[in-house]
Amino acid sequence: MNNMWVDIRYTLRQLHKSPGFTLTAVLTLALGIGATTAIFTLVQQVMLQSLPVSRPDQLWRIGDQARCCNWGGYSQDGDDNEEPNDWSLFSWEAYKLFRANTPGFQDLAALQAGNATLGVRRAGSSATPETDNGQYVSGNFFQTLGASAWRGRLLIDADDQEGAPPVAVMSFHTWEEKYGSDPSVVGSTFQINGYSFTIIGVAPPGFVGAKMTSWGMPDIWMPLTAEPTIDGATSRLKNTRVDWLDLIGRVRPGTNPKTLQAQLQSELHGWLASHLADMSPQEKAVWQKQTLRVSPGGAGFSRLRENYGEGLLLLMVTAGCVLLVACANIANLLLARGLRNRQQAAVRVALGASRGRLVRSALLESVALSLIGGAAGVVVAWAGARLILYLAFHMMARGTWIPVQASPSTAVLLFALGVSVLTGVLFGIAPAWMTSQAEPVEALRGANRTVGSGGHWAQKALVIVQVPVSLVLLSAAAMLGGSLRNLEHQNFGFSPEGRYLVSINSALLSNHKQEQLAPFFHEIEERLSAIPGVRGVSSATYAPLSGDQWGNNIRVQGKPEPGPKDDILTDWTRITPGFFDTVGARMLAGRAISEDDNENTRRVAVINEAFAKRFFGSQNPIGQHFGPGPIKNAGTYEIVGVVQNIHYVSWGFKMPARAMFYIPEAQTVHFDQPDIESYELGSQNLYNIVIWAPGHPQNFTLQVKRALADVDPNLVIYNVLPYSNVIQGTFDQQNMIASLTWLFGAVGLVLAAIGLYGVTAYGVEQRTSEIGIRMALGADRGSVLSMVLRSAFLQVAIGLALGIPAAMGTGYLIANQLYSIKPYDPRILGLAAVLLALAALIAALIPAQRAASVNPTEALRSQ
Amino acid sequence: MGSNGTLIEIEDLTKVFYTDEVETHALSGIHLTIDRGEYVAMSGPSGCGKSTLLSILGLLDTPTGGRYLLNNKPVENLSFGDRSRIRNQEIGFIFQSFNLIGDLTVEENVELPLTYRAGMPSAERKRRVKEALERVNMAHRMRHYPAQLSGGQQQRVAVARALAGSPSILLADEPTGNLDSKNGEAVMHLLADLHREGSTICMVTHDPRFARHAQREVHLFDGKVVSEQEQKKLEEEAEA
């Protein structure tokens, strides 16, 4: 131990005495370790972290899929890659049944799968309501998660009773950010969507509920039984056909999950059996196949993991590659230093140092360097994680909040420490081995005798390793960049140029009645149309790529009741007249929705090509009828037009176009089925306005906001964005991955070039005398230049030979991240190879020119 | 100084270097004995094998053939680790080019071989370092770095480093080779003093003036031990 301190002291002094070397090594390591740690900061929070609640290991979910937000009917079929008939969302009635009859759960809580957009202001205030995200939860939600109030109290079962006084709990984040931690918030009455609620408490810091998403984290929690008050006619609480609740429970100690699952499956079947009379024929055919699974709930209902997991893993590997290149560079620096200090090592051996002791000393130096680099890397990681959060979620731009922090946690610090030590050993092992090979007899021979050239070969080998890693990084970056460009410039089925998307909160929040909605939007459109430069305005429940999607199972008139395996799911939205012209979509047949489509005329719909193809094949769809299931609604809408496919959803760009229909805002249909009626009314709340204003009118955003305020000063406007920004935002994640891969690729390239420069420069230094002799014997500067370049490019060529197959393999590994790019694209590989060769040429040219300018007389004299 | 028994005994020692199928016989059938407390000088022209012999005596290198007994124990076929240990405990080196480590202070340089000795407490190391530096009259320069010392002072520090481990023998390879005559004489006096105090010394030198400081002179020529007369004759023949 005593000797260890001697070595440590000596190591630190060595580093202090070589500030240039130390600084270069520390900065390189800080970049490599920092990049890796930054990605791990996010990986840990998105993929590895449990909910910040007590004993998360005791929490179990009913269901195993991350679904949102309302599922209709008595069967649940997920995407193609999900198990059929696997339930993950439940109605309130089913929740109450499970809670009352499942003793395996100590507590079973329910929470809304989506979020409720709320207009919130203090009672008596005339200020514009704040837009907050609400979440309906069961009264035992906080108790189940083991949370205690930071201020006041949290919800209890007594608050979640029909007729109970309306109360809500505020998140700590909202209380701090929006209300400045004002203690008077607790106990105050707030107007939530026009209804009085008392804020009874503030949740503890860090508590985010049971959901981890990149949007709509709850600001306010309300009891489930408050939902009918807020949602009115569209309430889902007592609608047994609407599944809108996630369920999470704390199991009793000793409960066997398999037994629990079997009991819940039995309860689900019992509940479904009690609703046979309410089921459609398709549902009746499959109700006995419906099942559910329990799954660990410690991580909550994380959509972050689903959405960002794969991208983060890719980035983790990419950052690891950068670290590998950085390690090779530091190893090269240490090798060069070790070779220069070889005489010193020989003296140590001559004085009795064992090889193990020399290895230990060398490793101490490398680990000391990596620990200092790691400490600096933590700062780089913090800044890097902030950058990634900005790129991935546009946090600052949107003012949204996600439960992911850039600041390093204990786990992240431990990771940085582990990576630092590992890195230190990794890049220190080769130089340590080389140092330990010092022969004691060299101590007698003196410093100027020939030194073995083994080290130089090791250095070259390290450069050869760097080249393929850099090539892989560059080609991956080029592929992902190309993929992003293809995504952003694909044909979306409408023209984003000159279009703006205005996102607003529900007009119902500013106290407009249901029947006033159509005239209200008509007035909005008239005001906006009056802005100079505007050529069209139209509104929709949701516009293309706005991030929302509504679906319904439809029936076609004249066609038999579909079977359980028939795909009858279509997307739909409500629009105002002129919508297709405004968004720049082409009508293929019939006509668009017009002013004539109102309450007094037949109910009409425009369908897209995919709808026409799927349900009518080669038949002319114009004049045909369809409607939401069951079959008795099949005659609801008459098809009056076919529009080209518009890519509406902000995902699935590789998938075929989805069937979709459009219905007019001004027409309402009354359905017997409460769930369909609820959607019918809910869809009349239009959240998006599209404005066609080519030519970039001046102060356009301001003019739009003024015009909307003239119509209703209480209307909450989220944002006014050029459609190009909406498209860019759609590909935030791809943009983040491509940008960071480019960044990592560039860092890798620079590091590899520096590595090649270092090795070539060292080689030239070692061969100065030889070069002098060659020149004395008649070699001209050109031949010396080519000799050095040849040696450098031999390493690059071997590296490329190894790198090209590796880059091709990488292309196949990331194929599912690519859009319209082949995993193996010779142009991209060629470009990456040329870029790398160019960087290598620049790196090798400097020492080569130095070699060519050697003065033979001086070189021979110095020998 | 009288003999206290044999410290080094070498019989028929050979050393052959192989380079690209060329055999170079650096040492051929060397027989040599060095007693405890003896001061031996090895002399001979450049390339005669002095340094090769010294590196084998110091366990820096291994012989190709023959026997080598150190303290009556055969050491010619030891492992690298065992040779390191014996070198550290039994042998003190004084190099022509001093071989002090520039990044270490005088004190740390002298302490260095002791840090390789397992189990020696720090206080004991400090005591020995102080004692060794006092013996060469360099204790007042303990905190200095080698670059702050003259050549003669550096060599005295190197001697102190060799002494600190209380070795059985001091091996000096041209200890005055990098010094001016005044400093060279001073180092030779220092070695003579150490010998008087009981140290065993084996010194390689090509300078007859310095060789005369030793009790016994061993002459080497073409890798063999020869008599003084023989060496002169061979040198004259070679010159002719």
Side-chain angles (χ1 to χ4, degrees):
Chain A
M1 194 61 201
N2 203 3
N3 289 337
M4 179 71 109
W5 282 117
V6 172
D7 283 355
I8 290 172
R9 209 173 57 225
Y10 175 68
T11 298
L12 292 177
R13 190 186 307 160
Q14 286 280 84
L15 296 178
H16 180 69
K17 288 186 82 172
S18 320
F21 163 80
T22 306
L23 192 68
T24 308
V26 165
L27 286 180
T28 308
L29 285 165
L31 269 179
I33 297 173
T36 317
T37 308
I39 306 295
F40 181 77
T41 303
L42 306 180
V43 167
Q44 191 249 340
Q45 290 180 74
V46 170
M47 305 189 65
L48 307 176
Q49 193 163 266
S50 297
L51 291 173
V53 299
S54 69
R55 296 297 305 270
D57 55 303
Q58 291 179 344
L59 295 174
W60 283 76
R61 288 178 53 193
I62 304 183
D64 58 353
Q65 306 293 332
R67 287 184 179 152
C68 188
C69 301
N70 302 298
W71 283 55
Y74 294 104
S75 67
Q76 281 188 20
D77 261 355
D79 296 336
D80 292 343
N81 55 353
E82 291 178 8
E83 285 290 318
N85 309 316
D86 187 14
W87 282 59
S88 282
L89 292 182
F90 301 89
S91 65
W92 187 49
E93 189 182 90
Y95 159 63
K96 286 193 295 182
L97 180 93
F98 291 149
R99 187 178 170 188
N101 297 293
T102 318
F105 282 117
Q106 190 175 306
D107 255 319
L108 179 64
L111 61 149
Q112 182 188 358
N115 72 324
T117 309
L118 305 174
V120 180
R121 64 179 162 196
R122 278 193 191 243
S125 166
S126 57
T128 307
E130 285 270 2
T131 302
D132 283 341
N133 292 308
Q135 189 174 59
Y136 299 110
V137 296
S138 58
N140 65 345
F141 176 71
F142 294 98
Q143 180 188 306
T144 305
L145 296 182
S148 309
W150 180 254
R151 289 275 190 282
R153 69 173 179 84
L154 302 176
L155 295 176
I156 55 173
D157 276 329
D159 298 317
D160 191 20
Q161 306 292 330
E162 291 177 81
V167 293
V169 168
M170 192 173 277
S171 78
F172 182 87
H173 177 80
T174 304
W175 181 62
E176 192 179 42
E177 293 285 315
K178 292 189 177 170
Y179 297 97
S181 306
D182 179 1
S184 74
V185 165
V186 177
S188 296
T189 304
F190 278 68
Q191 290 288 314
I192 298 181
N193 287 14
Y195 300 97
S196 294
F197 278 74
T198 304
I199 301 294
I200 55 170
V202 175
F207 180 83
V208 292
K211 201 173 288 283
M212 303 274 274
T213 64
S214 56
W215 57 274
M217 288 304 293
D219 300 304
I220 284 175
W221 287 279
M222 297 168 295
L224 292 173
T225 49
E227 191 260 356
T229 309
I230 301 286
D231 289 358
T234 61
S235 169
R236 294 155 290 181
L237 189 73
K238 293 182 179 173
N239 190 336
T240 54
R241 289 191 62 86
V242 181
D243 305 315
W244 61 296
L245 298 174
D246 280 317
L247 306 186
I248 188 166
R250 190 173 290 278
V251 296
R252 290 188 195 283
T255 303
N256 182 338
K258 284 189 176 169
T259 315
L260 183 67
Q261 180 171 290
Q263 187 183 350
L264 287 163
Q265 283 169 349
S266 160
E267 288 169 20
L268 175 69
H269 285 149
W271 178 73
L272 287 169
S274 69
H275 287 280
L276 274 172
D278 192 25
M279 287 183 189
S280 68
Q282 291 78 24
E283 288 163 349
K284 277 183 184 155
V286 295
W287 78 270
Q288 284 172 310
K289 292 181 184 166
Q290 303 303 305
T291 189
L292 57 75
R293 290 181 176 81
V294 295
S295 57
F301 303 87
S302 178
R303 293 189 77 84
L304 285 178
R305 189 176 300 198
E306 193 178 72
N307 294 341
Y308 291 91
E310 207 170 321
L312 282 176
L313 281 181
L314 174 64
L315 287 176
M316 192 79 202
V317 173
T318 316
C321 287
V322 173
L323 185 58
L324 198 64
V325 177
C327 279
N329 259 20
I330 311 294
N332 251 335
L333 275 175
L334 286 175
L335 271 175
R337 235 163 86 96
L339 290 170
R340 282 199 189 96
N341 294 337
R342 201 173 163 109
Q343 171 72 10
Q344 200 182 95
V347 172
R348 286 170 180 270
V349 180
L351 295 176
S354 63
R355 292 211 194 282
R357 181 71 184 269
L358 287 184
V359 168
R360 189 180 84 182
S361 298
L363 282 179
L364 263 180
E365 184 177 29
S366 60
V367 171
L369 268 178
S370 66
L371 286 175
I372 300 169
V378 170
V379 180
V380 173
W382 172 77
R386 279 179 65 85
L387 173 75
I388 296 167
L389 286 176
Y390 178 78
L391 286 172
F393 306 111
H394 276 198
M395 281 175 73
M396 289 113 191
R398 286 189 194 150
T400 55
W401 179 73
I402 55 156
V404 178
Q405 309 294 324
S407 47
S409 62
T410 309
V412 168
L413 291 175
L414 285 174
F415 173 84
L417 179 69
V419 168
S420 301
V421 173
L422 193 70
T423 304
V425 172
L426 188 68
F427 70 70
I429 201 87
W433 184 81
M434 292 296 296
T435 304
S436 74
Q437 296 310 298
E439 284 299 330
V441 74
E442 285 172 17
L444 274 186
R445 287 177 188 153
N448 292 329
R449 296 282 182 102
T450 309
V451 170
S453 59
H456 198 49
W457 276 109
Q459 288 179 295
K460 286 180 175 177
L462 286 168
V463 169
I464 289 171
V465 169
Q466 286 180 311
V467 171
V469 177
S470 298
L471 186 73
V472 165
L473 283 174
L474 283 176
S475 67
M479 281 190 279
L480 291 167
S483 172
L484 175 66
R485 199 174 49 249
N486 291 345
L487 278 169
E488 288 182 342
H489 295 93
Q490 66 181 290
N491 180 7
F492 293 102
F494 71 100
S495 302
E497 293 79 24
R499 268 84 181 177
Y500 293 81
L501 178 67
V502 183
S503 299
I504 56 170
N505 205 338
S506 167
L508 291 176
L509 305 189
S510 41
N511 296 327
H512 293 273
K513 303 291 175 227
Q514 186 78 31
E515 61 276 12
Q516 294 173 330
L517 289 175
F520 175 69
F521 282 102
H522 187 74
E523 190 185 347
I524 281 179
E525 288 172 9
E526 279 195 340
R527 291 289 183 109
L528 291 174
S529 298
I531 296 173
V534 171
R535 289 176 63 180
V537 181
S538 190
S539 312
T541 316
Y542 57 99
L545 303 178
S546 63
D548 214 340
Q549 175 223 358
W550 287 35
N552 216 338
N553 288 326
I554 61 128
R555 307 289 187 277
V556 176
Q557 195 176 51
K559 295 203 173 181
E561 185 66 40
K565 290 192 175 170
D566 288 334
D567 186 5
I568 48 172
L569 183 68
T570 63
D571 294 343
W572 66 285
T573 188
R574 203 179 274 279
I575 56 174
T576 58
F579 181 78
F580 299 119
D581 283 342
T582 305
V583 299
R586 202 159 39 90
M587 291 300 296
L588 301 178
R591 66 167 177 87
I593 304 290
S594 73
E595 297 285 355
D596 295 334
D597 299 315
N598 55 46
E599 287 290 15
N600 303 318
T601 57
R602 64 195 164 129
R603 298 326 190 219
V604 298
V606 169
I607 61 170
N608 72 352
E609 274 179 280
F611 189 113
K613 196 173 167 190
R614 193 198 304 169
F615 294 102
F616 301 105
S618 56
Q619 267 185 294
N620 181 5
I622 306 294
Q624 306 273 9
H625 290 78
F626 71 95
I631 198 83
K632 67 176 182 180
N633 297 329
T636 305
Y637 305 116
E638 180 178 322
I639 298 169
V640 294
V642 179
V643 68
Q644 69 179 117
N645 294 327
I646 299 174
H647 197 103
Y648 243 81
V649 292
S650 47
W651 44 272
F653 292 95
K654 287 183 189 172
M655 288 152 70
R658 300 162 67 90
M660 183 158 187
F661 66 91
Y662 304 83
I663 54 175
E665 167 72 355
Q667 292 186 340
T668 313
V669 179
H670 293 289
F671 295 98
D672 295 342
Q673 298 77 24
D675 52 331
I676 303 175
E677 177 68 5
S678 164
Y679 298 141
E680 176 69 9
L681 297 175
S683 66
Q684 286 179 324
N685 269 312
L686 308 185
Y687 289 91
N688 291 143
I689 305 163
V690 181
I691 306 174
W692 180 20
H696 308 289
Q698 283 210 326
N699 296 325
F700 189 65
T701 303
L702 194 66
Q703 292 189 72
V704 169
K705 285 185 173 174
R706 276 189 191 147
L708 291 172
D710 285 347
V711 180
D712 179 358
N714 287 331
L715 187 69
V716 177
I717 306 161
Y718 288 138
N719 47 41
V720 181
L721 291 174
Y723 238 111
S724 53
N725 289 20
V726 176
I727 289 171
Q728 221 176 352
T730 302
F731 303 113
D732 272 352
Q733 194 191 351
Q734 290 89 341
N735 184 26
M736 169 193 76
I737 293 170
S739 304
L740 288 177
T741 315
W742 266 119
L743 183 68
F744 291 157
V747 172
L749 179 70
V750 170
L751 288 177
I754 291 173
L756 183 68
Y757 165 79
V759 171
T760 312
Y762 181 80
V764 166
E765 187 189 314
Q766 294 294 301
R767 295 173 72 183
T768 303
S769 306
E770 179 204 322
I771 291 166
I773 293 167
R774 283 171 183 267
M775 292 177 95
L777 294 174
D780 61 11
R781 297 198 187 285
S783 60
V784 172
L785 192 79
S786 70
M787 176 186 80
V788 176
L789 286 180
R790 216 170 31 244
S791 165
F793 269 82
L794 179 66
Q795 296 160 67
V796 177
I798 296 171
L800 286 178
L802 295 170
I804 287 171
M808 285 162 65
T810 306
Y812 284 102
L813 284 176
I814 61 170
N816 59 349
Q817 297 273 343
L818 303 177
Y819 178 77
S820 287
I821 290 269
K822 282 185 283 185
Y824 163 61
D825 187 335
R827 283 173 311 167
I828 285 180
L829 266 180
L831 183 74
V834 166
L835 202 60
L836 195 59
L838 209 61
L841 179 67
I842 294 167
L845 210 52
I846 302 166
Q849 275 182 328
R850 196 179 302 149
S853 60
V854 160
N855 181 331
T857 320
E858 282 178 18
L860 291 171
R861 197 181 298 141
S862 71
Q863 191 191 24
Chain B
M1 185 62 61
S3 169
N4 299 315
T6 304
L7 177 67
I8 286 174
E9 194 175 350
I10 281 174
E11 285 174 21
D12 199 22
L13 195 85
T14 60
K15 179 70 181 178
V16 182
F17 292 108
Y18 298 92
T19 321
D20 295 335
E21 298 174 9
V22 178
E23 278 187 17
T24 307
H25 292 258
L27 299 173
S28 313
I30 300 278
H31 293 269
L32 179 68
T33 305
I34 298 175
D35 291 337
R36 286 182 207 284
E38 204 178 4
Y39 186 173
V40 177
M42 286 196 287
S43 64
S46 183
C48 69
K50 305 185 295 284
S51 291
T52 304
L53 181 56
L54 192 78
S55 63
I56 290 172
L57 290 178
L59 302 183
L60 296 175
D61 206 350
T62 50
T64 310
R67 263 169 73 79
Y68 174 13
L69 298 177
L70 177 66
N71 278 330
N72 292 319
K73 285 176 191 154
V75 292
E76 69 273 12
N77 291 320
L78 292 176
S79 68
F80 185 91
D82 287 339
R83 282 194 285 135
S84 292
R85 186 176 46 75
I86 294 173
R87 224 166 29 232
N88 181 254
Q89 291 173 358
E90 307 283 352
I91 297 164
F93 284 103
I94 302 163
F95 303 103
Q96 178 180 351
S97 51
F98 324 139
N99 279 343
L100 295 178
I101 292 175
D103 297 328
L104 301 181
T105 62
V106 163
E107 182 187 22
E108 288 166 337
N109 263 292
V110 177
E111 189 187 13
L112 189 63
L114 303 180
T115 66
Y116 299 138
R117 201 171 286 191
M120 184 179 281
S122 175
E124 169 69 6
R125 289 204 306 258
K126 301 288 176 206
R127 187 188 64 73
R128 284 186 181 223
V129 169
K130 192 162 174 265
E131 210 174 274
L133 284 170
E134 279 170 352
R135 280 180 80 180
V136 299
N137 203 21
M138 285 298 291
H140 61 296
R141 300 283 190 175
M142 266 171 124
R143 307 279 178 226
H144 286 64
Y145 284 93
Q148 296 170 306
L149 305 177
S150 69
Q153 287 174 321
Q154 287 188 40
Q155 192 60 302
R156 276 152 65 192
V157 172
V159 173
R161 182 176 66 184
L163 289 172
S166 308
S168 302
I169 186 169
L170 289 175
L171 297 179
D173 181 25
E174 302 273 13
T176 58
N178 281 5
L179 298 174
D180 57 32
S181 56
K182 190 180 160 199
N183 277 312
E185 277 298 336
V187 167
M188 292 317 296
H189 284 300
L190 177 60
L191 291 179
D193 289 345
L194 292 172
H195 172 237
R196 268 194 298 279
E197 289 164 20
S199 296
T200 310
I201 300 171
C202 177
M203 174 179 71
V204 162
T205 180
H206 67 276
D207 190 331
R209 289 175 302 141
F210 295 136
R212 269 180 232 119
H213 284 267
Q215 277 176 309
R216 179 159 66 101
E217 200 172 345
V218 175
H219 302 277
L220 284 169
F221 196 90
D222 277 352
K224 290 178 182 150
V225 177
V226 294
S227 67
E228 191 176 358
Q229 291 74 18
E230 227 176 330
Q231 185 185 23
K232 276 183 185 161
K233 192 179 156 200
L234 288 166
E235 278 176 2
E236 282 165 10
E237 281 175 11
E239 276 173 21

